Amino acid sequence: MIFKSLLQPLSFVCLLNLSLYAAPPTINSTSLKTLNAFGVDADFLTNRANTDALGSVQQTFDKLLQHYDANGVFIPTIKNMLLQANVPIEFLFLAMAESRFSARAYSVKRAVGIWQFMPKTAKMLGLKVNTLVDERRDPIKSTQAAITYFKMLYKQTHQWYLVAMAYNYGLRRVLEAIQVAGTDNINVLLDEGKKYLPLETRHYIRSILSLAIAFNNLDTEGNKAYLLNRGRAKH
């Protein structure tokens, strides 16, 4: 695995296991627009496992906002960098799933920073990682490296949702899963019976999409917790 996903801080696996108790998800034009940013169509929301994931995120949204506020200072900068690079701004929520936007985040497998780079991958992308300097903790340099990698993955997969999957599981393994499945359709790849992708990756992509939908709905509804203003307030 090229990258180590740090799901534990937000306990997404636990959240998704609460699906039987989740409130019905909000499905509206903003939700569909958010999915489209990843190259995912409305059929995604006809799948029970997918809507359960969204319902679980919505049910625990107040706690997620607390996590956001604790480390949201870098969000406006990350958003602007993604926009300038023509990468969907919804990839903000990949960083949230990885690290809660914490530059200090560290995993047991030595993944570090907002984007949870492993040392080998960080060096491949031009970041300095040695006993004196670890640029994985630099929010600007590490975000630029992440953008570079997103674009590399997109050239190979041609779908943003596949980029997110490959970020977690590795490009080669995702391409192999597509070959076995005979399609790159997200609902087929996430099939709980066939298990073309491991459980962690299935949870991972559902978590990112669900977070993006929930926070974008918050933005659209004009809530006082408008996500970019919350980030700027930390400056």
Side-chain angles (χ1 to χ4, degrees), residues 11 26 40 43 51 59 69 74-75 133 160 168:
S11 301
T26 300
V40 178
D43 287 346
T51 55
Q59 186 184 43
D69 279 344
F74 304 118
I75 289 175
V133 178
W160 289 113
N168 174 256

Side-chain angles (χ1 to χ4, degrees), residues 192-218:
E192 293 296 318
K194 299 293 186 179
K195 296 182 173 60
Y196 296 114
L197 297 169
L199 180 63
E200 178 185 324
T201 303
R202 299 198 305 273
H203 282 343
Y204 184 79
I205 187 63
R206 287 177 176 133
S207 296
I208 292 168
L209 292 173
S210 296
L211 281 168
I213 288 171
F215 275 84
N216 281 345
N217 280 334
L218 180 71

Side-chain angles (χ1 to χ4, degrees), residues 54-114:
L54 177 56
S56 295
V57 166
Q58 290 177 337
Q59 186 184 43
T60 59
F61 196 64
D62 287 344
K63 189 167 184 64
L64 294 176
L65 283 174
Q66 293 174 13
H67 287 303
Y68 178 98
D69 279 344
N71 292 298
V73 64
F74 304 118
I75 289 175
T77 298
I78 295 173
K79 174 182 178 289
N80 288 335
M81 292 178 72
L82 292 170
L83 281 170
Q84 291 173 13
N86 294 316
V87 174
I89 61 171
E90 285 75 12
F91 271 75
L92 279 168
F93 301 101
L94 186 148
M96 187 176 193
E98 289 283 347
S99 68
R100 296 183 299 181
F101 303 114
S102 174
R104 296 174 295 176
Y106 182 85
S107 81
V108 295
K109 294 193 176 181
R110 299 196 300 150
V112 167
I114 292 173

Side-chain angles (χ1 to χ4, degrees), residues 86-158:
N86 294 316
V87 174
I89 61 171
E90 285 75 12
F91 271 75
L92 279 168
F93 301 101
L94 186 148
M96 187 176 193
E98 289 283 347
S99 68
R100 296 183 299 181
F101 303 114
S102 174
R104 296 174 295 176
Y106 182 85
S107 81
V108 295
K109 294 193 176 181
R110 299 196 300 150
V112 167
I114 292 173
W115 300 99
Q116 286 293 282
F117 285 121
M118 297 292 284
K120 182 178 179 180
T121 304
K123 292 176 181 178
M124 178 192 75
L125 294 170
L127 295 176
K128 294 180 181 179
V129 180
N130 55 50
T131 56
L132 298 177
V133 178
D134 191 341
E135 292 182 339
R136 294 177 295 174
R137 298 189 186 279
D138 184 309
I140 305 301
K141 292 181 179 179
S142 65
T143 296
Q144 187 56 62
I147 287 170
T148 297
Y149 194 61
F150 293 151
K151 288 186 170 183
M152 290 170 58
L153 292 174
Y154 187 77
K155 286 182 180 180
Q156 297 294 319
T157 64
H158 309 293

Side-chain angles (χ1 to χ4, degrees), residues 5-23:
S5 166
L6 188 66
L7 297 181
Q8 289 86 349
L10 289 181
S11 301
F12 282 117
V13 173
C14 295
L15 288 177
L16 295 176
N17 287 337
L18 293 173
S19 61
L20 291 177
Y21 305 96

